[in-house]
Amino acid sequence: TLALRLPPSEAPGPEALPSATPAGACDRPLRVLLVEDIATNRIVAQAMLERLGCRVACAGDGHEALRLLEAGPDPYDMVLMDCHMPGMDGYETTRAIRRRGDGLNAIPIVALTANAMGGEREKCLEAGMDDYVTKPLREAELRRALSRWLTQGQ
C-alpha cells in the first residue's frame, strides 16, 4: 500500500488571499493555467491554487498549454509553467507565447522548477518568464507569486 502524506499547509488558508484576488483587485476568481507533466505535482499544485480560490486548468505539456491559451473565450490571468517537460518544454513554450502578436504575449508566466541551481532563474527570465518558484512548491510562496504578478496586471 502506498500512502502519500502531505505536510500541513504553511498558509493560514484561503482567507489570506480572498478568492485569490490580491487586495480585492478584481471581482472574479483568478484563472490560472498550470502546465506540469508530472501528475502528482499537478495534483498538489492544483489543490494549493484551488485553496487560494483560483480556477485552475491543467496542461501536461507545452503543446497542450498553447492549445488551451488559444481556445479562449475566458483569458487566463497567469501561467505556472514547469520548465522541464518532454516534447515542448517550458522554455520553448514561453518563447512561443511571447512571440505572439496578440494579448496573450503579455500574460504573467511563473516558472516552476525543481532545479534551484545558480543560473536557472536567469535562464527562465531569458526565455521570457516573469518569475521563478522552486519545487517542492510551498503554498506561501505560491500565494506571494500570485499576489505579486496578478496585482501588477490589474
Side-chain angles (χ1 to χ4, degrees):
T1 303
L2 174 67
L4 176 65
R5 175 172 273 173
L6 299 175
S9 172
E10 297 173 19
E15 65 279 357
L17 191 60
S19 300
T21 307
C26 67
D27 58 356
R28 62 176 172 75
L30 297 172
R31 296 196 67 226
V32 176
L33 177 59
L34 172 62
V35 187
E36 168 65 64
D37 63 314
I38 300 173
T40 302
N41 292 346
R42 214 171 29 244
I43 291 166
V44 171
Q46 182 175 359
M48 286 182 188
L49 288 164
E50 288 174 350
R51 274 196 304 272
L52 292 171
C54 296
R55 288 180 43 210
V56 183
C58 296
D61 62 41
H63 295 291
E64 184 179 4
L66 291 175
R67 281 192 301 274
L68 287 172
L69 283 167
E70 293 166 354
D74 294 329
Y76 293 96
D77 298 297
M78 173 184 272
V79 177
L80 291 175
M81 181 79 69
D82 183 21
C83 293
H84 304 283
M85 299 178 288
M88 182 180 243
D89 66 19
Y91 306 110
E92 185 180 350
T93 306
T94 298
R95 284 190 287 271
I97 293 167
R98 296 301 187 222
R99 281 192 303 265
R100 296 177 61 95
D102 56 16
L104 284 177
N105 64 353
I107 190 169
I109 300 174
V110 177
L112 296 174
T113 184
N115 188 355
M117 302 297 291
E120 183 70 15
R121 187 179 202 292
E122 291 74 21
K123 187 175 178 181
C124 292
L125 295 174
E126 192 175 284
M129 296 176 188
D130 298 294
D131 205 351
Y132 171 95
V133 292
T134 58
K135 296 185 233 176
L137 193 57
R138 291 172 183 80
E139 195 166 306
E141 186 178 11
L142 182 58
R143 185 176 358 92
R144 281 190 295 274
L146 285 167
S147 183
R148 181 170 45 248
W149 291 102
L150 296 177
T151 303
Q152 289 181 12
Q154 300 299 322

